[in-house]
Amino acid sequence: MNIRSSIELNNKSVEEINLTGVYFESSTETSHKFGGWPEIRIIPIKYVLEWYNSLNVGLKIKAENNIERTLFSILYFSHDTYAGYNPTLIVWIIQALESFYGIKSNDSIIKTLKNRISLHLGQTPQPKKVNKKINEFYDYRSKFVHGDMEIMRLGGDKFLRKDYIDDYIDDYIDDYNLKLIDLCDFGVTLVISSIQKMITIDAKSMEFNETVNYK
């Protein structure tokens, strides 16, 4: 479902709100690529609404806990008009993941995230493939936020195709976009599956505790 709506402010200006459901559509296919993990469920809307209403998010402007931060982050990466073509989407998807799993800045981020995903969603049948994809996901984010990533000119996918009859240009644009879309699909599938697990077990929050047993 894609949502296109407008809000009139003070009888003067109109602000558009555009939300795309493209990631929710692609999550099932992404799950199949990794042997059905993470699981993507079909949940009746009734139960989703009951769970969401139980969170008492209401009309909050600022998120106050991990679940709310996750849900608000989803709105940001689902708002992108060119879903899949904007590198900033990676940042918002990681914001959603790290918020959900309670990752702090002083944690060993990737290792902690992998462990907590396994605890919450269960073991993947393709651990090497999943670990590699998570590493690629964070490597992409790191290159973007630290200025090491190749950046395509804004609108390049629209104009360069028209200006140049060059297979190299077309191939570069396609490879650039497809890699970004692939990583976004993977990250969002983790986010969706993680939230769906909470809905199915009717949980509003979770905590991870490390323990040691001496014998």
Side-chain angles (χ1 to χ4, degrees), residues 81-97:
T81 305
Y82 305 100
Y85 295 147
N86 190 331
T88 60
L89 295 172
I90 290 285
V91 178
W92 281 114
I93 294 168
I94 287 180
Q95 163 71 16
L97 270 176

Side-chain angles (χ1 to χ4, degrees), residues 3-16:
I3 298 174
R4 299 286 182 267
S5 62
S6 300
I7 297 177
E8 186 173 320
L9 303 173
N10 302 322
N11 297 320
K12 295 180 180 180
S13 59
V14 174
E15 181 172 338
E16 294 186 356

Side-chain angles (χ1 to χ4, degrees), residues 170-186:
D170 277 350
D171 290 342
Y172 173 79
I173 293 173
D174 288 340
D175 289 344
Y176 182 95
N177 287 338
L178 288 175
K179 180 177 181 180
L180 181 54
I181 292 171
D182 179 62
L183 292 175
C184 286
D185 284 346
F186 174 75

